[in-house]
Amino acid sequence: MRKETLLATLGCHPQDHSGVVNTPVYRGSTILFPDLASFEAADNGTTQEPIYGRYGTRTTTELEQTIAKLEGADHAIITSSGLSAIVIALNAFLKTGDHILMVDTTYGSTRRYCDVELKRFGVETTYYDPAIGQGIEALIRPNTKIIYLESPGSLTMEMQDVPAITKVAKAKSILTMGDNTWGAHLYYDPYALGMDISITSATKYICGHSDVVMGVITCHKQHYPHLLRSYKNTGACASPDAAYLAHRGLRTMAVRLKQHQQNALEVADWLSRRPEVEAVLYPALPGAPGHELWKRDFTGACGLFSFALKQKAPQAALAAMLDNLELFGMGYSWGGYESLITPVNLRNSRTAYKFPHEGTLLRLHIGLEHTADLIRDLEAGLVRLGNAA
Ligand SMILES: *Cc1c(COP(=O)(O)O)cnc(C)c1O
């Protein structure tokens, strides 16, 4: 079955719930055992049934099974946030003295986790150029445990040659994991591209309505015990209420993403013809950086991209543009139904390559509003920017 059909059918068991279509929210901390034998089975770890609220109830386990199937993985683990999914996945395979290769364009909080927490525990991180491809081989050390990927990268949107990197990793028996939030489980097949473990912030398109924080890790059988151990020993579980909302979000994810993509392409194309704009960083846009790799590795795109202005806008001009937008909100996260804009300050977050644009960088999330209204709003903003500069 195709992914659209999986989204519309998986995790529906009305006969178990008085005919109600959706699995209800099973809230629980204590889960009672019917007898001593089942208590002891849970104690030995030989049961598949929910045994304690922190490890999930049926509301969460059905969501896990749905996402695993959607991504073609054996297992999924739902966590409290995208960041906790990243932390759990890294911790599952690392110990003092290990080394990891981290893409330079990784999500900012992933970078801070490596630089602050992993460093304190004696794990060393080397950042690599997202364009490195098979050149990754030269950075591998005897103690390299993980190669971590994110394609396209956060904020600056560089595509990676994922199969070239995972091929080198496989030959050296090094684990690969990727943050695949942008591909949203629909437009990307991390396992076909050779990744071992896939991480997604479900906060974005899975939930899709700017009201839930959640993460997902998927994997095949051989890595599940490590990930499950790390997850269980961390306690970073998602609530059943959040899981319910996530499953509800999944039902419409394919249709939402189609519209996000269509709207984003229209806005990106319009921006690419504006005189103020130096570059539109949206791999799905023909002619944009990474477009050829995107065509090879993805079957679609989401609504998130960035663009660079030709000039560094003075603060007052940027405020004149951003403070008076009617439809674009300024705030963190993305993947909801609404459009967002944020100025990007890369600070010192690029150390392995040089980002080529000097002008002001802005990130857009294109929502489900009509593009005629979105473009009008952006156009008025660019005019205010020009008048104030
Ligand atoms: C938002 C985001 C995360 C973190 O997810 P949270 O659910 O906010 O913790 C991780 N990776 C990427 C690429 C993101 O955009």
Side-chain angles (χ1 to χ4, degrees), residues 104-385:
D104 208 23
T105 47
T106 195
Y107 178 65
S109 299
T110 309
R111 193 176 188 107
R112 278 190 293 282
Y113 185 71
C114 293
D115 291 349
V116 178
E117 306 303 332
L118 286 181
K119 188 171 173 214
R120 289 174 53 233
F121 293 110
V123 173
E124 200 186 338
T125 304
T126 301
Y127 292 96
Y128 66 87
D129 183 339
I132 200 164
Q134 64 182 18
I136 193 88
E137 186 157 4
L139 299 181
I140 292 172
R141 304 180 191 170
N143 61 340
T144 304
K145 283 287 157 60
I146 293 172
I147 299 176
Y148 189 103
L149 306 102
E150 190 176 321
S151 181
S154 276
L155 307 176
T156 46
M157 311 298 297
E158 290 86 350
M159 291 291 304
Q160 291 191 254
D161 190 343
V162 172
I165 293 173
T166 56
K167 190 169 166 216
V168 171
K170 279 216 165 42
K172 301 255 178 192
S173 301
I174 295 168
L175 195 72
T176 52
M177 52 179 77
D179 182 329
N180 297 318
T181 304
W182 197 86
H185 298 291
L186 278 190
Y187 293 151
Y188 192 63
D189 184 347
Y191 298 103
L193 296 172
M195 286 191 199
D196 295 313
I197 289 161
S198 174
I199 302 161
T200 311
S201 168
T203 307
K204 311 297 161 50
Y205 288 108
I206 291 181
C207 294
H209 295 74
S210 307
D211 50 7
V212 178
V213 174
M214 184 186 285
V216 189
I217 310 165
T218 69
C219 64
H220 288 319
K221 278 193 188 67
Q222 65 269 35
H223 299 121
Y224 186 59
H226 296 85
L227 290 163
L228 193 62
R229 185 207 71 227
S230 180
Y231 166 69
K232 287 195 163 179
N233 290 341
T234 307
C237 57
S239 75
D241 294 81
Y244 181 91
L245 288 171
H247 219 144
R248 187 159 114 151
L250 275 176
R251 301 291 179 209
T252 58
M253 189 168 76
V255 280
R256 285 187 282 111
L257 271 168
K258 243 186 233 171
Q259 195 64 44
H260 282 291
Q261 167 170 246
Q262 187 185 319
N263 289 3
L265 273 169
E266 278 179 45
V267 174
D269 178 58
W270 175 80
L271 277 170
S272 71
R273 289 181 278 109
R274 288 291 303 191
E276 304 90 338
V277 174
E278 178 171 278
V280 176
L281 308 174
Y282 186 38
L285 184 72
H291 182 66
E292 294 307 315
L293 281 177
W294 173 82
K295 263 205 316 215
R296 188 192 69 183
D297 292 349
F298 283 76
T299 55
C302 71
L304 187 79
F305 68 91
S306 297
F307 66 100
L309 298 175
K310 285 181 182 149
Q311 312 285 336
K312 191 125 213 109
Q315 195 60 19
L318 194 59
M321 174 181 177
L322 299 180
D323 291 354
N324 298 294
L325 289 169
E326 206 179 320
L327 296 172
F328 284 85
M330 207 184 329
Y332 290 110
S333 200
W334 46 282
Y337 53 86
E338 83 285 24
S339 289
L340 298 169
I341 187 165
T342 44
V344 176
N345 186 344
L346 293 175
R347 295 200 176 83
N348 303 315
S349 69
R350 297 293 184 269
T351 53
Y353 79 109
K354 188 169 170 359
F355 181 64
H357 305 290
E358 302 279 342
T360 297
L361 185 63
L362 293 156
R363 188 183 75 170
L364 294 177
H365 176 254
I366 303 301
L368 302 176
E369 306 90 343
H370 198 287
T371 47
D373 296 323
L374 293 176
I375 287 172
R376 189 176 36 77
D377 201 23
L378 282 177
E379 183 166 33
L382 286 172
V383 168
R384 285 192 301 275
L385 178 93

